[in-house]
């Protein structure tokens, strides 16, 4: 009879190969699925003319309206991707001096991007029928109920719900520029990514990186959970193949949607504000909703991918981490970000600042303010600002429904990716150093909820097996991993 462990390992290999196969297949078609704008507007018109009317809204021949003015700028190309990443590193910027031609080209590109952004905003400037505003008010009350009545992220969903209700009251004008209260909040800190960076400062002050420092290989689990982010890009491609142009996601919107897979609300808001502000509201609500649903979504996936014996694996107690290590960690993280991925520096820099203030021990008043008063105030304003974008023009369309579905898929794949990576690592670890695969699910950056869920499922298999501290390693590395994924997207497309 075949060895059950060998069969299990074979299943892992098959799953990994299947995922890589799907990624390779989709990479062959993503250029046309996301945009078909080969060289110029004239080329686009010629392309449209050569495609039958029935095919223009389906398959890989379809034309995504928002990409017609891109002139090939965001076409998917492996070589250009690597060149883009290199040109955005701190090392390149330190050794390269921009020429006048490059400066002029950059200014022209900024002007062009501003024009496209204005055009995108005008798409949602039309007035919706009155009944749609009433529907959005009802959705706002539903969000408030989920927060207050069901306990789903109440600190975030309650203000988002009230923001949704207030912005949709006919005649109130709370979302109207320049004097509407909600419009002021949005412009002051949501649309310019200011509030998400303050949130990361508070997260840094609340986070203990000790478990990750004590067991650095846990960073692999946090990295594997980002599979949900990148896998979602292919999911967006599949939705774009739906006939009729129901979804019409371009690559910038696809990248913003994919970050939901990291289960990190502030990062989702930050990336969508950079790449797809028109989708920010529904992306933020989806991200926070799935964060709140971690205890419901993750356990079935974790149990499906593990055996009872694996769930009962005991892990060694983590070694004590010195204060010196904890103080140096955020500084080293910041230096690496400066050199390799400065586009992620706004998020990781604030995370490092908050954590250093906590660990250095000489500015306790500042660190306490970051993790308490400032965090609470900014959370209120950020959530109200997100709610202010929940208007019918932006929400009641096919794309919003697609985002809700893709967010769930992204979260499930991220959870599975972490668990499968832990099982893969166990193939190479000594018998007494095995990793409990349950902690792989904590690789998403929902801190500390995902780690608590890993611990809870582990206790169900063995009431004396506490995994919380071991699960915190991949959990905090997931925060860093999602910020890095965001930096890669912004460096490539932003």
């Amino acid at each position: 009879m075949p060895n059950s462990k060998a069969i299990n390992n074979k299943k892992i290999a098959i799953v990994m190969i299947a995922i890589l196969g799907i990624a390779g297949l989709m990479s062959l078609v993503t250029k046309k699925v996301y945009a078909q704008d080969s060289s110029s507007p004239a080329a686009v018109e010629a392309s449209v003319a050569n495609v039958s009317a029935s095919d223009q809204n389906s398959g890989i021949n379809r034309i995504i309206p928002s990409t017609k003015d891109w002139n090939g700028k965001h076409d998917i190309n492996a070589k250009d991707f690597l060149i883009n990443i290199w040109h955005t590193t701190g090392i390149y910027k330190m050794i390269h001096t921009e020429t006048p031609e490059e400066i002029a080209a950059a200014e022209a590109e900024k002007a062009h991007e501003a024009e496209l952004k204005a055009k995108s905003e005008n798409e949602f400037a039309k007035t919706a029928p009155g009944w749609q505003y009433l529907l959005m008010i009802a959705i706002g009350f539903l969000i408030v109920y989920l927060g207050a009545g069901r306990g789903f992220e109440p600190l975030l969903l309650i203000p988002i719900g009230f923001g949704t209700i207030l912005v949709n009251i006919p005649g109130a004008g709370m979302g109207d520029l320049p004097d509407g209260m909600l419009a002021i909040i949005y412009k002051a800190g949501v649309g310019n990514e200011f509030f998400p960076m303050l949130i990361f400062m508070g997260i840094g002050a609340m986070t203990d990186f000790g478990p990750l420092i004590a067991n650095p290989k846990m960073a692999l689990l946090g990295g594997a959970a980002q599979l949900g982010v990148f896998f979602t890009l292919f999911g967006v491609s599949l939705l774009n193949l739906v006939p009729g142009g129901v979804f019409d996601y371009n690559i910038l919107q696809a990248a913003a949607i994919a970050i939901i897979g990291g289960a990190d609300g502030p990062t989702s808001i930050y990336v969508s504000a950079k790449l797809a502000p028109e989708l920010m509201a529904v992306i933020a609500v989806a991200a926070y909703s799935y964060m709140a649903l971690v205890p419901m979504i993750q356990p079935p996936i974790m149990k499906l991918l593990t055996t009872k014996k694996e769930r009962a694996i005991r892990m060694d107690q983590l070694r004590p981490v010195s204060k010196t290590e904890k103080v140096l960690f955020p500084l080293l993280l910041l230096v690496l970000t400066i050199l390799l991925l400065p586009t992620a520096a706004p998020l990781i820099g604030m995370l490092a600042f908050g954590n250093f203030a906590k660990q250095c021990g000489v500015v306790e008043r500042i660190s306490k303010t970051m993790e308490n008063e400032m965090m609470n105030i900014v959370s209120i304003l950020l959530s109200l600002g997100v709610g202010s974008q929940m208007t019918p023009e932006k929400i009641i369309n096919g794309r919003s429904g697609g985002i809700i579905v893709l967010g769930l898929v992204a979260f499930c794949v991220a959870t599975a990716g972490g668990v499968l990576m832990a099982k893969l690592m166990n193939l190479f670890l000594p018998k007494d150093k095995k990793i409990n695969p349950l902690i792989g699910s904590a690789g998403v950056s929902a801190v500390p909820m995902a780690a608590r869920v890993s611990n809870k499922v582990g206790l169900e298999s063995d009431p004396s097996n506490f995994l919380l501290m071991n699960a915190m390693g991949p959990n905090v590395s997931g925060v860093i991993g999602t910020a890095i994924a965001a930096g890669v997207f912004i460096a490539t497309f932003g």
Side-chain angles (χ1 to χ4, degrees), residues 470-485:
N470 284 289
M472 283 302 298
N475 207 182
V476 296
S477 72
V479 177
I480 299 171
T482 304
I484 291 173

mmCIF file with all atom_site columns, all heavy atoms in Angstrom, residues 470-485:
data_model
loop_
_atom_site.group_PDB
_atom_site.id
_atom_site.type_symbol
_atom_site.label_atom_id
_atom_site.label_alt_id
_atom_site.label_comp_id
_atom_site.label_asym_id
_atom_site.label_entity_id
_atom_site.label_seq_id
_atom_site.pdbx_PDB_ins_code
_atom_site.Cartn_x
_atom_site.Cartn_y
_atom_site.Cartn_z
_atom_site.occupancy
_atom_site.B_iso_or_equiv
_atom_site.pdbx_formal_charge
_atom_site.auth_seq_id
_atom_site.auth_comp_id
_atom_site.auth_asym_id
_atom_site.auth_atom_id
_atom_site.pdbx_PDB_model_num
ATOM 1   N N   . ASN A 1 470 ? 4.507  31.277 17.558 1.00 0.00 ? 470 ASN A N   1
ATOM 2   C CA  . ASN A 1 470 ? 5.107  30.819 16.300 1.00 0.00 ? 470 ASN A CA  1
ATOM 3   C C   . ASN A 1 470 ? 4.346  31.378 15.093 1.00 0.00 ? 470 ASN A C   1
ATOM 4   O O   . ASN A 1 470 ? 4.945  31.665 14.058 1.00 0.00 ? 470 ASN A O   1
ATOM 5   C CB  . ASN A 1 470 ? 5.107  29.289 16.247 1.00 0.00 ? 470 ASN A CB  1
ATOM 6   C CG  . ASN A 1 470 ? 6.180  28.674 17.127 1.00 0.00 ? 470 ASN A CG  1
ATOM 7   O OD1 . ASN A 1 470 ? 7.369  28.756 16.842 1.00 0.00 ? 470 ASN A OD1 1
ATOM 8   N ND2 . ASN A 1 470 ? 5.755  28.062 18.227 1.00 0.00 ? 470 ASN A ND2 1
ATOM 9   N N   . ALA A 1 471 ? 3.024  31.525 15.235 1.00 0.00 ? 471 ALA A N   1
ATOM 10  C CA  . ALA A 1 471 ? 2.225  32.055 14.126 1.00 0.00 ? 471 ALA A CA  1
ATOM 11  C C   . ALA A 1 471 ? 2.442  33.548 13.924 1.00 0.00 ? 471 ALA A C   1
ATOM 12  O O   . ALA A 1 471 ? 2.218  34.071 12.820 1.00 0.00 ? 471 ALA A O   1
ATOM 13  C CB  . ALA A 1 471 ? 0.739  31.779 14.373 1.00 0.00 ? 471 ALA A CB  1
ATOM 14  N N   . MET A 1 472 ? 2.886  34.258 14.957 1.00 0.00 ? 472 MET A N   1
ATOM 15  C CA  . MET A 1 472 ? 3.110  35.697 14.823 1.00 0.00 ? 472 MET A CA  1
ATOM 16  C C   . MET A 1 472 ? 4.265  36.003 13.873 1.00 0.00 ? 472 MET A C   1
ATOM 17  O O   . MET A 1 472 ? 4.309  37.088 13.271 1.00 0.00 ? 472 MET A O   1
ATOM 18  C CB  . MET A 1 472 ? 3.393  36.323 16.193 1.00 0.00 ? 472 MET A CB  1
ATOM 19  C CG  . MET A 1 472 ? 2.154  36.516 17.055 1.00 0.00 ? 472 MET A CG  1
ATOM 20  S SD  . MET A 1 472 ? 0.881  37.540 16.277 1.00 0.00 ? 472 MET A SD  1
ATOM 21  C CE  . MET A 1 472 ? 1.756  39.095 16.080 1.00 0.00 ? 472 MET A CE  1
ATOM 22  N N   . GLY A 1 473 ? 5.217  35.050 13.725 1.00 0.00 ? 473 GLY A N   1
ATOM 23  C CA  . GLY A 1 473 ? 6.336  35.256 12.794 1.00 0.00 ? 473 GLY A CA  1
ATOM 24  C C   . GLY A 1 473 ? 5.859  35.462 11.373 1.00 0.00 ? 473 GLY A C   1
ATOM 25  O O   . GLY A 1 473 ? 6.125  36.510 10.750 1.00 0.00 ? 473 GLY A O   1
ATOM 26  N N   . PRO A 1 474 ? 5.135  34.483 10.788 1.00 0.00 ? 474 PRO A N   1
ATOM 27  C CA  . PRO A 1 474 ? 4.613  34.696 9.437  1.00 0.00 ? 474 PRO A CA  1
ATOM 28  C C   . PRO A 1 474 ? 3.595  35.830 9.362  1.00 0.00 ? 474 PRO A C   1
ATOM 29  O O   . PRO A 1 474 ? 3.466  36.489 8.329  1.00 0.00 ? 474 PRO A O   1
ATOM 30  C CB  . PRO A 1 474 ? 3.964  33.352 9.084  1.00 0.00 ? 474 PRO A CB  1
ATOM 31  C CG  . PRO A 1 474 ? 3.837  32.604 10.343 1.00 0.00 ? 474 PRO A CG  1
ATOM 32  C CD  . PRO A 1 474 ? 4.907  33.105 11.255 1.00 0.00 ? 474 PRO A CD  1
ATOM 33  N N   . ASN A 1 475 ? 2.875  36.087 10.464 1.00 0.00 ? 475 ASN A N   1
ATOM 34  C CA  . ASN A 1 475 ? 1.863  37.140 10.444 1.00 0.00 ? 475 ASN A CA  1
ATOM 35  C C   . ASN A 1 475 ? 2.495  38.522 10.233 1.00 0.00 ? 475 ASN A C   1
ATOM 36  O O   . ASN A 1 475 ? 2.056  39.293 9.370  1.00 0.00 ? 475 ASN A O   1
ATOM 37  C CB  . ASN A 1 475 ? 1.079  37.106 11.758 1.00 0.00 ? 475 ASN A CB  1
ATOM 38  C CG  . ASN A 1 475 ? -0.332 37.635 11.632 1.00 0.00 ? 475 ASN A CG  1
ATOM 39  O OD1 . ASN A 1 475 ? -1.084 37.718 12.607 1.00 0.00 ? 475 ASN A OD1 1
ATOM 40  N ND2 . ASN A 1 475 ? -0.745 38.018 10.435 1.00 0.00 ? 475 ASN A ND2 1
ATOM 41  N N   . VAL A 1 476 ? 3.542  38.832 10.992 1.00 0.00 ? 476 VAL A N   1
ATOM 42  C CA  . VAL A 1 476 ? 4.177  40.147 10.824 1.00 0.00 ? 476 VAL A CA  1
ATOM 43  C C   . VAL A 1 476 ? 4.979  40.207 9.524  1.00 0.00 ? 476 VAL A C   1
ATOM 44  O O   . VAL A 1 476 ? 5.114  41.279 8.923  1.00 0.00 ? 476 VAL A O   1
ATOM 45  C CB  . VAL A 1 476 ? 5.064  40.498 12.038 1.00 0.00 ? 476 VAL A CB  1
ATOM 46  C CG1 . VAL A 1 476 ? 4.218  40.627 13.298 1.00 0.00 ? 476 VAL A CG1 1
ATOM 47  C CG2 . VAL A 1 476 ? 6.186  39.487 12.250 1.00 0.00 ? 476 VAL A CG2 1
ATOM 48  N N   . SER A 1 477 ? 5.503  39.055 9.073  1.00 0.00 ? 477 SER A N   1
ATOM 49  C CA  . SER A 1 477 ? 6.209  39.066 7.787  1.00 0.00 ? 477 SER A CA  1
ATOM 50  C C   . SER A 1 477 ? 5.226  39.289 6.643  1.00 0.00 ? 477 SER A C   1
ATOM 51  O O   . SER A 1 477 ? 5.584  39.842 5.596  1.00 0.00 ? 477 SER A O   1
ATOM 52  C CB  . SER A 1 477 ? 6.979  37.758 7.571  1.00 0.00 ? 477 SER A CB  1
ATOM 53  O OG  . SER A 1 477 ? 6.113  36.678 7.299  1.00 0.00 ? 477 SER A OG  1
ATOM 54  N N   . GLY A 1 478 ? 3.953  38.894 6.850  1.00 0.00 ? 478 GLY A N   1
ATOM 55  C CA  . GLY A 1 478 ? 2.928  39.155 5.845  1.00 0.00 ? 478 GLY A CA  1
ATOM 56  C C   . GLY A 1 478 ? 2.681  40.635 5.660  1.00 0.00 ? 478 GLY A C   1
ATOM 57  O O   . GLY A 1 478 ? 2.392  41.094 4.540  1.00 0.00 ? 478 GLY A O   1
ATOM 58  N N   . VAL A 1 479 ? 2.763  41.407 6.746  1.00 0.00 ? 479 VAL A N   1
ATOM 59  C CA  . VAL A 1 479 ? 2.611  42.865 6.651  1.00 0.00 ? 479 VAL A CA  1
ATOM 60  C C   . VAL A 1 479 ? 3.691  43.434 5.739  1.00 0.00 ? 479 VAL A C   1
ATOM 61  O O   . VAL A 1 479 ? 3.421  44.242 4.839  1.00 0.00 ? 479 VAL A O   1
ATOM 62  C CB  . VAL A 1 479 ? 2.699  43.517 8.048  1.00 0.00 ? 479 VAL A CB  1
ATOM 63  C CG1 . VAL A 1 479 ? 2.608  45.029 7.939  1.00 0.00 ? 479 VAL A CG1 1
ATOM 64  C CG2 . VAL A 1 479 ? 1.599  42.985 8.948  1.00 0.00 ? 479 VAL A CG2 1
ATOM 65  N N   . ILE A 1 480 ? 4.934  42.987 5.962  1.00 0.00 ? 480 ILE A N   1
ATOM 66  C CA  . ILE A 1 480 ? 6.049  43.463 5.144  1.00 0.00 ? 480 ILE A CA  1
ATOM 67  C C   . ILE A 1 480 ? 5.893  42.972 3.706  1.00 0.00 ? 480 ILE A C   1
ATOM 68  O O   . ILE A 1 480 ? 6.118  43.727 2.749  1.00 0.00 ? 480 ILE A O   1
ATOM 69  C CB  . ILE A 1 480 ? 7.395  42.978 5.740  1.00 0.00 ? 480 ILE A CB  1
ATOM 70  C CG1 . ILE A 1 480 ? 7.568  43.528 7.149  1.00 0.00 ? 480 ILE A CG1 1
ATOM 71  C CG2 . ILE A 1 480 ? 8.562  43.394 4.847  1.00 0.00 ? 480 ILE A CG2 1
ATOM 72  C CD1 . ILE A 1 480 ? 8.748  42.938 7.897  1.00 0.00 ? 480 ILE A CD1 1
ATOM 73  N N   . GLY A 1 481 ? 5.481  41.705 3.550  1.00 0.00 ? 481 GLY A N   1
ATOM 74  C CA  . GLY A 1 481 ? 5.340  41.129 2.212  1.00 0.00 ? 481 GLY A CA  1
ATOM 75  C C   . GLY A 1 481 ? 4.311  41.864 1.371  1.00 0.00 ? 481 GLY A C   1
ATOM 76  O O   . GLY A 1 481 ? 4.525  42.120 0.180  1.00 0.00 ? 481 GLY A O   1
ATOM 77  N N   . THR A 1 482 ? 3.170  42.217 1.975  1.00 0.00 ? 482 THR A N   1
ATOM 78  C CA  . THR A 1 482 ? 2.138  42.932 1.233  1.00 0.00 ? 482 THR A CA  1
ATOM 79  C C   . THR A 1 482 ? 2.608  44.325 0.845  1.00 0.00 ? 482 THR A C   1
ATOM 80  O O   . THR A 1 482 ? 2.322  44.813 -0.254 1.00 0.00 ? 482 THR A O   1
ATOM 81  C CB  . THR A 1 482 ? 0.843  43.025 2.068  1.00 0.00 ? 482 THR A CB  1
ATOM 82  O OG1 . THR A 1 482 ? 0.429  41.707 2.433  1.00 0.00 ? 482 THR A OG1 1
ATOM 83  C CG2 . THR A 1 482 ? -0.266 43.691 1.280  1.00 0.00 ? 482 THR A CG2 1
ATOM 84  N N   . ALA A 1 483 ? 3.353  44.982 1.748  1.00 0.00 ? 483 ALA A N   1
ATOM 85  C CA  . ALA A 1 483 ? 3.898  46.304 1.429  1.00 0.00 ? 483 ALA A CA  1
ATOM 86  C C   . ALA A 1 483 ? 4.896  46.216 0.279  1.00 0.00 ? 483 ALA A C   1
ATOM 87  O O   . ALA A 1 483 ? 4.943  47.094 -0.595 1.00 0.00 ? 483 ALA A O   1
ATOM 88  C CB  . ALA A 1 483 ? 4.566  46.909 2.663  1.00 0.00 ? 483 ALA A CB  1
ATOM 89  N N   . ILE A 1 484 ? 5.682  45.134 0.238  1.00 0.00 ? 484 ILE A N   1
ATOM 90  C CA  . ILE A 1 484 ? 6.638  44.943 -0.860 1.00 0.00 ? 484 ILE A CA  1
ATOM 91  C C   . ILE A 1 484 ? 5.890  44.698 -2.166 1.00 0.00 ? 484 ILE A C   1
ATOM 92  O O   . ILE A 1 484 ? 6.247  45.251 -3.213 1.00 0.00 ? 484 ILE A O   1
ATOM 93  C CB  . ILE A 1 484 ? 7.588  43.773 -0.544 1.00 0.00 ? 484 ILE A CB  1
ATOM 94  C CG1 . ILE A 1 484 ? 8.530  44.153 0.606  1.00 0.00 ? 484 ILE A CG1 1
ATOM 95  C CG2 . ILE A 1 484 ? 8.393  43.368 -1.778 1.00 0.00 ? 484 ILE A CG2 1
ATOM 96  C CD1 . ILE A 1 484 ? 9.394  43.023 1.108  1.00 0.00 ? 484 ILE A CD1 1
ATOM 97  N N   . ALA A 1 485 ? 4.841  43.861 -2.121 1.00 0.00 ? 485 ALA A N   1
ATOM 98  C CA  . ALA A 1 485 ? 4.036  43.621 -3.322 1.00 0.00 ? 485 ALA A CA  1
ATOM 99  C C   . ALA A 1 485 ? 3.436  44.926 -3.832 1.00 0.00 ? 485 ALA A C   1
ATOM 100 O O   . ALA A 1 485 ? 3.421  45.196 -5.049 1.00 0.00 ? 485 ALA A O   1
ATOM 101 C CB  . ALA A 1 485 ? 2.930  42.617 -3.019 1.00 0.00 ? 485 ALA A CB  1
#
